[in-house]
Amino acid sequence: MKIISVNVGLPRLVLRNGEPVSTGIFKEPVAGRVMVRTLNLDGDRQSDLSVHGGPEKAVYGYPSEHYDFWKRELPDMDLPWAMFGENFTTTGLRETEINIGDKFRVGTTEVMVTQPRMPCYKLGIRFGRTDIIKRFLASERTGFYFSVLKEGEVGAGDEFELIEKNASGVRVVDVTRLYGSDKENVDLLRRAIATEALPDNWREYFRKRIENLNATGTGNE
């Protein structure tokens, strides 16, 4: 489990349907060591803070293993590291294996997994195609956000050391599935709601889901 590329970028204006849009999704690998702070990495910024960034989305990680899948899916595209807007391109961390709330030490920083990445139209801007948004979500290859528990420096090659495995057992992919393909899994919804490391907006969303299922008689209450 390690970082194979550290990537940063500042917001830039791009055209979408002829209109200028500010986005921070265009990131580039950087050499040397980079300071990881509570809200982002040095040299990195998010554009629309209403949906990106903040303490619970300070750092975005994306598994390098997924790039082979996308190269098969999109054979005509060039897919360099950071194509998905990730800060850490990783190896050895999978959405099917890491839990919400898992804590890691990497370099001199400590981070905690908080949630999967939900794609927005800016991923379509980066790829130059709108179909990537649905394909990204359906693939369950979402990557994951970290909050920063301790500021410090990281660099390519740094290994992730597991500090604490979250006992709830709610994996990153479970949250993605509850959002998309497994919306009526009440047991998993309850476990997700009970996972304190999952951001409040997700837990409230799942609470309302259970309420709606109970109202329609499908919540097994």
Side-chain angles (χ1 to χ4, degrees), residues 162-192:
L162 181 64
I163 301 172
E164 180 183 329
K165 189 75 176 173
N166 191 281
S168 71
V170 175
R171 303 169 300 169
V172 172
V173 73
D174 290 328
V175 177
T176 305
R177 289 173 179 170
L178 286 174
Y179 180 78
S181 63
D182 200 13
K183 294 182 177 182
E184 297 184 1
N185 188 331
V186 175
D187 175 64
L188 186 56
L189 284 167
R190 290 194 179 114
R191 285 168 51 209

Side-chain angles (χ1 to χ4, degrees), residues 41-88:
L41 281 67
D42 280 2
D44 191 68
R45 292 292 183 274
Q46 300 87 10
S47 180
D48 183 355
L49 295 178
S50 67
V51 290
H52 300 291
E56 294 163 336
K57 295 181 179 179
V59 180
Y60 176 44
Y62 198 74
S64 61
E65 294 89 344
H66 295 343
Y67 274 80
D68 284 341
F69 169 83
W70 291 112
K71 286 173 182 176
R72 292 192 300 271
E73 288 284 302
L74 308 169
D76 298 328
M77 290 200 67
D78 183 29
L79 299 176
W81 298 145
M83 185 67 182
F84 293 88
E86 74 269 20
N87 299 114
F88 295 167

Side-chain angles (χ1 to χ4, degrees), residues 13 20-21 39 44 50 53 64 87 96 108 115 119 124 131 149 153 163 173 187 191 194:
L13 284 176
V21 174
L39 294 179
D44 191 68
S50 67
S64 61
N87 299 114
T96 53
T108 59
Q115 59 193 303
D131 68 333
L149 304 177
E153 289 184 339
I163 301 172
V173 73
D187 175 64
R191 285 168 51 209

Side-chain angles (χ1 to χ4, degrees), residues 56 99-103 112-115 147 149 164 166-170 175 189-204 206-207:
E56 294 163 336
N99 293 346
I100 302 298
D102 282 358
K103 298 176 182 178
M112 182 178 72
V113 178
T114 57
Q115 59 193 303
S147 62
L149 304 177
E164 180 183 329
N166 191 281
S168 71
V170 175
V175 177
L189 284 167
R190 290 194 179 114
R191 285 168 51 209
I193 292 166
T195 302
E196 292 184 4
L198 187 66
D200 289 342
N201 61 324
W202 272 112
R203 295 162 73 194
E204 182 61 24
F206 291 149
R207 284 190 194 97

